[in-house]
Amino acid sequence: MAFDQQRFDKLIQRLEIFASQQPTLYRFHVACLAVLGYAYIVMILAVSVALLLTIGWLMFNARSFSRGTIKGVIFLLAIAIILLRSLWVSVPPPTGLALRRKDAPSLFCLVDDLTTKLKAPRFHHILLTTDFNATVVQRPRLGLFGWYQNYLIVGLPLMLALPPEQFRAVLVHELGHLSGNYHRFSAWIYRQRLIWYRIQELLEQSRNESLWVVFHKFLQWYIPFFSAYSFELARLHEYEVDRLAVEITGVENTAKFLMNRKVKIRFLENYFWSNIYHQVQTEVEPPKTSYTAMQTALTQGVPLREASIYLAQSLTEKTNYTDTHPSLTDRLQALGFVPGIQEELSVAAPMLISAAQEYLGHAFEQVRDNFSQTWCEKIATPWRQKYAEVQQSLAILDKLNSKAEKQTLSLGEATTRALLTFELEGEEAVIPLLREVIKLDHTHASANYLLGQILLKQQDASGIEHIERAIAKDIDIAIDGYQIIGAFLKRQGQDDRAELYHELAEEHYDLLLRGQEERASLNVTDEFKTHSLADAEITHLRQQLSRYPNITTAYLVQKVVQYFPEKPLYILAVMRKFSFWESNHETDNAQLVDALLKEIELPGAVFCFILNTNLNFEKKFKQIPEATIYQQKIKK
């Protein structure tokens, strides 16, 4: 129920220009589109009421009930029931630990104070979750007719990571999305986006056939189109609520919460949880006090080297069309805030008290321990399984280490030894082993890439050469590789060189988009060539195709592509026969294509389709040598 990303991006680019050149007309168009969704619902309701009135009129005026009259009434009644059922969408409430006012009075008082200042709606529930995030959710109690329950959802890790004044800025930002103070139209459109996303999610999960019949076609077009059309307004709204946070909490607290959130989510993912999971090497059971350990780690502060790296990485991120949130750099620039060395020290500094301690009060320890226990119970089984796997890995590593003392390892053994060492012992221990792998294979992509990343983390510029060598061998890592180099050079103060690598990343991203577009469709005017598979691979493919009795003929060719020609695009086209009981050919074709794509593995991407409705392709494929790879044997 969505546009593909390329169409989405192109539409947003056009609308950005439209919004900047004619902002009033753009807002009018967005408003009309927002109203259209509700107009459709009202139309469905009107049709439902009209059908019910018609049924009542027929029954009242019918002096005698013929078989035709009864059938007509039953038909109209069935349609009316379907329409009415479709309007009543049951939206499940969000999940999390529900807080009560008596348990956390300080948090509720803070939320009450901010909702009053912002003229935001009252919140019926405050939930704590394990996410490093805060958000507001409006749940319609009357299905598509609204009457919303408002939920404030706050992640405990976020509360542990921020001091009280910065957490207050977070809440102002989130509540600002519902604010009635300023930019009411932008806030209303923002809420409509969230509501329709919620409806889309529900319809995708629902198995209600009446929902599918009545709403699917319209919403399949409407939701992605409204999302794209209102994207620019939603992004502008992010800047607006940032300014609201500045008005209430000050520019310093707002800017620091933006930086702190970026840095500390990376710290938890890359450092804290990594250390927690590292314990699986020696402990059969998971730790029982994980959130207490998180509290300690975040209170002590992020190590300065990691804080500097994480902040630099965050500042190099670019604003894109996959998220309405602008990049950190753009948001800070909009606030007029320029980060410097003091900000690196600030995000790394210890906290005197966290927002969790301040606003959860006497309930804090109980909540923290509850989260620790829940995490422990959830992770217990996979933890034990991982412990068993690690013991096997340690045994393999011991054997490889012993063998390496006596003789030279093969490339495969050296690679396995390095990867296991990295997984089990960390970055420092793996450096000499990666150099051994590279000595055996100078262009080894994964070894060069990993070594390059480690060296750059250690401020060793020789890592650039290794990452460039890896990119030359595996173009798929180009974007990430160039961005890593660019972030390193920016930290070194080499902004001009850093910009060159960021431009390379953007150029490669553009090539990827063009390559995806080139591979996303087929036309009979495209150029095709003989496949490059070996006889053994074709034999195996024939065996797989023979298991489908409805496939009569199969062709395999390669599409000649302009972008990334080293990555083959195989075209598998099959002719099939239909049984007399198969009434929906389109559905049957889709199921057959899905089954083939799941089963068949080729050394490249595969485009599979049914030839029965594309006979022009068959004529073209027959002219290509060795294209016919399978023909069903006719039973005599």
Side-chain angles (χ1 to χ4, degrees):
M1 292 178 64
F3 289 153
D4 64 70
Q5 191 61 44
Q6 294 176 45
R7 291 179 60 195
F8 188 87
D9 291 354
K10 289 178 181 177
L11 177 59
I12 292 174
Q13 289 172 5
R14 293 198 299 269
L15 290 169
E16 272 185 333
I17 299 172
F18 177 41
S20 62
Q21 293 177 345
Q22 302 185 60
T24 303
L25 186 59
Y26 166 70
R27 287 172 176 260
F28 176 73
H29 284 190
V30 174
C32 291
L33 195 57
V35 171
L36 177 62
Y38 289 97
Y40 183 80
I41 295 173
V42 171
M43 181 193 73
I44 296 299
L45 178 61
V47 171
S48 301
V49 172
L51 284 173
L52 288 174
L53 291 176
T54 301
I55 293 168
W57 182 83
L58 287 172
M59 296 181 67
F60 180 79
N61 288 281
R63 295 175 181 266
S64 62
F65 292 96
S66 65
R67 181 177 297 180
T69 303
I70 294 173
K71 286 183 178 180
V73 169
I74 293 174
F75 176 73
L76 290 174
L77 185 61
I79 293 177
I81 291 172
I82 288 175
L83 292 173
L84 289 174
R85 283 182 60 195
S86 301
L87 291 169
W88 195 267
V89 182
S90 177
V91 180
T95 58
L97 177 64
L99 294 176
R100 297 177 298 179
R101 185 174 290 272
K102 67 178 182 179
D103 295 328
S106 296
L107 179 59
F108 278 84
C109 287
L110 173 63
V111 173
D112 290 343
D113 177 58
L114 294 179
T115 52
T116 300
K117 288 181 177 178
L118 295 168
K119 294 183 181 178
R122 181 176 67 88
F123 282 89
H124 304 92
H125 305 280
I126 299 179
L127 305 180
L128 273 185
T129 69
T130 58
D131 297 328
F132 196 96
N133 195 19
T135 188
V136 293
V137 172
Q138 291 189 299
R139 174 180 174 252
R141 286 174 282 197
L142 293 180
L144 298 182
F145 295 109
W147 190 31
Y148 297 103
Q149 271 188 326
N150 299 314
Y151 290 79
L152 174 61
I153 302 175
V154 182
L156 180 60
L158 180 67
M159 295 189 73
L160 290 171
L162 298 180
E165 61 275 10
Q166 292 180 28
F167 176 71
R168 191 163 175 258
V170 173
L171 290 188
V172 174
H173 177 95
E174 296 304 327
L175 301 184
H177 289 305
L178 306 181
S179 173
N181 273 353
Y182 309 103
H183 307 289
R184 296 185 181 184
F185 176 71
S186 297
W188 180 69
I189 292 297
Y190 186 91
R191 292 196 297 273
Q192 299 314 303
R193 288 170 58 87
L194 297 181
I195 290 167
W196 286 111
Y197 278 139
R198 188 74 167 148
I199 292 172
Q200 175 184 1
E201 180 183 357
L202 179 72
L203 292 177
E204 288 176 345
Q205 295 173 353
S206 174
R207 296 182 179 179
N208 188 326
E209 292 183 1
S210 61
L211 288 175
W212 180 268
V213 170
V214 177
F215 286 107
H216 177 258
K217 284 295 182 184
F218 172 74
L219 294 182
Q220 188 179 37
W221 164 81
Y222 176 76
I223 293 177
F225 190 74
F226 176 66
S227 174
Y229 217 94
S230 59
F231 185 93
E232 180 64 15
L233 198 62
R235 174 164 288 170
L236 291 173
H237 187 58
E238 292 294 341
Y239 288 116
E240 291 167 0
V241 293
D242 278 350
R243 286 193 287 271
L244 274 180
V246 169
E247 289 180 19
I248 294 179
T249 66
V251 66
E252 185 174 345
N253 284 326
T254 303
K256 285 185 176 179
F257 110 68
L258 291 172
M259 292 184 293
N260 242 330
R261 183 159 64 177
K262 285 286 190 178
V263 168
K264 289 181 177 175
I265 192 171
R266 279 182 160 91
F267 168 73
L268 289 180
E269 290 174 353
N270 301 334
Y271 190 90
F272 173 77
W273 285 116
S274 176
N275 288 340
I276 289 288
Y277 289 120
H278 192 70
Q279 296 177 35
V280 77
Q281 295 185 32
T282 56
E283 303 296 328
V284 182
E285 299 294 333
K288 292 181 170 56
T289 56
S290 54
Y291 278 81
T292 301
M294 182 187 296
Q295 175 194 353
T296 302
L298 290 169
T299 301
Q300 290 175 348
V302 180
L304 182 58
R305 185 171 74 93
E306 278 72 19
S308 176
I309 292 171
Y310 299 152
L311 183 58
Q313 290 173 344
S314 299
L315 290 172
T316 59
E317 292 175 350
K318 301 287 186 181
T319 298
N320 56 53
Y321 298 125
T322 60
D323 188 359
T324 55
H325 289 83
S327 68
L328 175 61
T329 298
D330 288 348
R331 294 176 77 173
L332 293 177
Q333 286 177 350
L335 299 179
F337 189 88
V338 180
I341 187 64
Q342 291 300 320
E343 280 62 49
E344 289 187 14
L345 296 173
S346 173
V347 296
M351 278 189 299
L352 295 177
I353 186 172
S354 70
Q357 293 168 291
E358 174 75 14
Y359 293 118
L360 296 180
H362 62 80
F364 166 65
E365 291 187 1
Q366 181 180 351
V367 168
R368 180 198 62 197
D369 295 344
N370 175 282
F371 273 63
S372 293
Q373 181 181 350
T374 302
W375 178 85
C376 184
E377 293 172 353
K378 181 180 179 180
I379 203 72
T381 299
W383 182 282
R384 296 186 195 107
Q385 294 171 345
K386 183 64 178 177
Y387 175 82
E389 293 172 6
V390 167
Q391 301 313 304
Q392 293 178 348
S393 297
L394 285 169
I396 294 171
L397 183 58
D398 286 341
K399 290 181 180 179
L400 289 173
N401 286 335
S402 298
K403 185 176 181 179
E405 293 175 358
K406 302 172 185 177
Q407 63 187 83
T408 302
L409 298 179
S410 67
L411 177 61
E413 290 172 330
T415 303
T416 300
R417 182 189 181 204
L419 294 178
L420 288 176
T421 300
F422 175 66
E423 178 184 349
L424 299 171
E425 300 179 20
E427 294 180 351
E428 289 293 336
V430 79
I431 290 176
L433 303 185
L434 290 172
R435 295 192 188 279
E436 289 182 15
V437 173
I438 294 170
K439 188 176 180 180
L440 293 170
D441 179 2
H442 187 68
T443 62
H444 197 286
S446 58
N448 274 294
Y449 191 60
L450 180 55
L451 180 59
Q453 290 183 81
I454 295 171
L455 292 176
L456 293 185
K457 282 184 182 180
Q458 297 177 346
Q459 310 304 312
D460 185 343
S462 66
I464 295 176
E465 179 186 353
H466 288 287
I467 292 181
E468 288 181 331
R469 203 183 294 164
I471 292 172
K473 186 69 176 291
D474 183 1
I475 197 65
D476 288 339
I477 61 176
I479 294 178
D480 289 340
Y482 289 140
Q483 287 180 340
I484 290 170
I485 296 172
F488 167 77
L489 292 171
K490 195 170 184 65
R491 292 195 302 272
Q492 299 294 311
Q494 302 181 48
D495 290 352
D496 291 342
R497 286 189 66 196
E499 186 60 30
L500 289 175
Y501 281 97
H502 290 312
E503 288 175 3
L504 286 173
E506 290 178 358
E507 289 173 6
H508 186 73
Y509 178 70
D510 183 58
L511 289 177
L512 278 179
L513 291 180
R514 294 182 186 182
Q516 290 171 4
E517 185 174 0
E518 182 181 43
R519 294 160 184 264
S521 62
L522 283 184
N523 193 295
V524 73
T525 59
D526 292 334
E527 184 179 353
F528 302 95
K529 65 180 182 179
T530 303
H531 64 78
S532 56
L533 295 185
D535 291 342
E537 292 173 303
I538 292 296
T539 300
H540 179 62
L541 183 54
R542 286 195 187 105
Q543 291 172 349
Q544 292 176 309
L545 293 170
S546 67
R547 293 198 286 269
Y548 294 87
N550 52 351
I551 293 179
T552 59
T553 310
Y555 300 89
L556 183 70
V557 297
Q558 279 183 234
K559 179 179 177 179
V560 177
V561 293
Q562 177 182 355
Y563 301 99
F564 310 108
E566 70 279 5
K567 297 180 179 298
L569 174 61
Y570 293 100
I571 311 301
L572 177 64
V574 299
M575 288 289 291
R576 60 162 301 179
K577 58 185 177 182
F578 292 92
S579 302
F580 70 93
W581 58 80
E582 292 178 304
S583 58
N584 191 337
H585 291 180
E586 184 177 342
T587 301
D588 296 330
N589 286 345
Q591 291 174 347
L592 177 58
V593 168
D594 287 342
L596 288 171
L597 289 175
K598 287 177 182 177
E599 181 178 0
I600 291 170
E601 295 183 3
L602 296 176
V606 181
F607 194 112
C608 182
F609 69 100
I610 306 300
L611 269 174
N612 296 60
T613 56
N614 299 276
L615 296 180
N616 288 332
F617 278 104
E618 185 179 26
K619 294 177 183 178
K620 190 160 188 174
F621 293 162
K622 283 182 175 180
Q623 300 172 6
I624 299 173
E626 302 179 27
T628 306
I629 61 166
Y630 173 78
Q631 284 188 314
Q632 190 180 80
K633 294 180 180 179
I634 301 175
K635 296 180 180 179
K636 296 182 179 179

